Amino acid sequence: MYYAGRTLWVGLWQIVLILLAWLVAASEVSLSATTVEKELGLESGDWTQSAAQLDSLLLSTGEETAGPSASPWVRHSQGAVRLVSTVTGVGTSHSILLGLQFALQPHWKIYWRAPGETGYPPTVDWGGSQNLAKTRIAWPAPRRFSFQGVETAGYEGEVIFPITAILERPGVPLMGHANIEFLVCSTLCVPQRAVLDLLVRDGPAESSPFIHLVERSAARVPGDGRAAGLHLITATTQPGTKDGLIEVAVEAELPLAAPDLFIEGHNNVRASLPQISQRSRDSRHVVLRVRTRSPVAVGALVTLTVVDGVRALEATVPLGTLVADHDTIFEIGIILSLAFLGGLILNLMPCVLPVLSLKVMTMISHGGAERLAVRWSFVASAAGVLFSFMLLAAATITLKATGAAVGWGIQFQQPLFLSIMIIVLTLFTANLWGLFEISLPSWLTDQGGGVRTYGYTGAFLTGIFATLLATPCSAPFLGTAVGFALARGPVEILLIFMVLGIGMAMPYILVAIFPTLAVRLPQPGPWMIWLKGLMGLALAATVVWLLTVFAVQVGETTAILTGAAMVTVIGILASRLHPPLRPLPVAVVISVGLTIIAQVGQERETLSHQGLWLPFNENVLAHHVANGRVVFVDITADWCITCRINKALVLSHREVVKRLQDVVAMQADWTRPDVGVSAYLTRFGRYGIPFNVVYGPGARQGIALPELLTAEVVLQALETAAGRV
């Protein structure tokens, strides 16, 4: 396979390098200038030129001699190394920023923390230091070196490793004593050692001449990628193969020029030179594919570093499953069954309760009507549901083709969609309260037994709005089906969304097949006016809820003005009716809603200061998991009704809250579009919320929880992640 053809060659090459390194290291002290010239391939007189180049390099990187904030340079044949401080005094801080600075001759390199197939990184022993509790070294983004099929990662020229030094006693001078061991390589490799001593005196922590050098290098240390406009979308592996295969999808705000990928973790995984298997037309979305010496298990925790010029990102993530190129008929059949069940159960989710009034009014309006009229009316409602799902599928395919984030319910992240829904549902509310009637042409309505029923257009629109308002919910089986669809192509997306629509439309289809269910209801009469009023209250509550979500998106002022405009519309429509107090219930409901909106910002601020939830950050998450902590992650949004149900019934449960106080609880808000959150969901094969996952010593890859939580499920997952089960 990939590595089989060159394993023997690589082994022989490493033996040659070791022998050469030993010979050079053993003779370096006694070598004359002529011998050094021969070893380095320099012609007569070139050694003087090389030394001059080193002097020039040292002068360009700072004073050659030791200063008040730097150790002396320690020279060797391939360059020099020293220790610098960003401050002239320790001040009163608990830590100071140092820098380990290498200045290398042309064509010589040192290695990154994960060197690749050969070499080893610099190591620092701080034994003998004074007032130094511990240190933390940061690694700037590396570059790749390929030589005869051997892949390594490291640095050429000048590199500074930022080092955070934690002091034992703030305000007391720091005496840093560093024993450095490193390997310098060109066409041959030379092990080197250096002893560096740096004194940072007491006194004010004023900036030293080296602060800009170290901070510039610190800026090259990969973070989560957001500052660089890079986002990790998916990281997957394909099990069951002799050689491992890993694919990583990356999205960038600016076009990617030459992206590279470095992989760490999982038994020192060794990866081939990455190949770009997919690239979008605008080069903002690429998929990098690498082969590994051995298979990497699904769920294995790996650290991925993506570098594109001066941009870089780093993330520690569990590997998902790389979908095979072809799915069996059995697998597709299972997914379609889950899609049907998910759509059917969606009718029972809390998101559809606001449109229950539309369904009820559809039923009772057919009381006493002819069966044929009832049948075609409910067929129209089912068609509205299917049309909506096909519309969602088409929009999803379009967004996916452009490289945009896709997911279930993400239209509620768009202020334009929310404003349209607020206006339309306000008009529906006014209609149910009898403030105005929608007059349709006679050819759009039908007569059944002398009783005028809803027209087919009204029934069709009922199905559309039932679908749109149901999308903030995630029902059981729905997430699996949607995740499968969004990981495939347009055909699969259309097929699965169509089956989802059939599942949700099934109640309408059943009434169309058995119209007696609606015909036997009492005929419309005075009682229906009161029922319509109650159903209107349900829609008014939906408007209030949408205004609270709208307030988070565009601000409280805009939301309040929008709500006031809706109240004005209701008032204008009601002014034509008598008595004048008839619109009072409407105004009261909307006014209460505006009061709720005014409290949204304060409520969200209060919740953020409760101390239980920390902001979601994948790097912080990986740090806690690496340190053996249990971490509970909650992805939520203000427009997600199921999320609110989980929060009210489960995450606010006394036993659950007590247990979460003993772990790290992190929460991500997906109310507004967030590429980072979308990428995190995608790596788990999820495209909708709610989504909860638990990490810990017993579940480093994470335990994904079901959409509908129970206290028992959460507590059991926390125990499993802690390794107690």
Side-chain angles (χ1 to χ4, degrees), residues 259-305:
D260 202 351
L261 172 65
F262 302 92
I263 303 177
E264 304 169 76
H266 190 70
N267 301 325
N268 296 321
V269 59
R270 298 292 176 86
S272 67
L273 180 69
Q275 302 294 325
I276 298 179
S277 61
Q278 297 180 36
R279 181 190 287 269
S280 63
R281 291 184 178 180
D282 58 4
S283 294
R284 291 180 53 249
H285 184 94
V286 300
V287 177
L288 300 170
R289 171 176 288 189
V290 299
R291 295 195 175 275
T292 58
R293 180 171 300 181
S294 58
V296 182
V298 174
L301 205 63
V302 296
T303 298
L304 305 174
T305 302

Side-chain angles (χ1 to χ4, degrees), residues 334-347 382 384-390 392-393 396 407-409 467 470-471 473-486 492-509:
I334 292 295
I335 293 297
L336 292 179
S337 300
L338 295 178
F340 177 81
L341 291 174
L344 183 62
I345 296 174
L346 199 58
N347 286 283
V385 173
L386 288 173
F387 174 80
S388 300
F389 271 93
M390 290 296 95
L392 290 173
T396 299
W408 180 257
T467 302
T471 51
C473 271
S474 182
F477 310 119
L478 180 67
T480 302
V482 172
F484 182 92
L486 297 185
E492 290 87 348
I493 293 176
L494 284 171
L495 182 61
I496 290 174
F497 272 65
M498 182 182 68
V499 176
L500 280 170
I502 293 174
M504 186 173 177
M506 187 52 60
Y508 296 104
I509 295 174

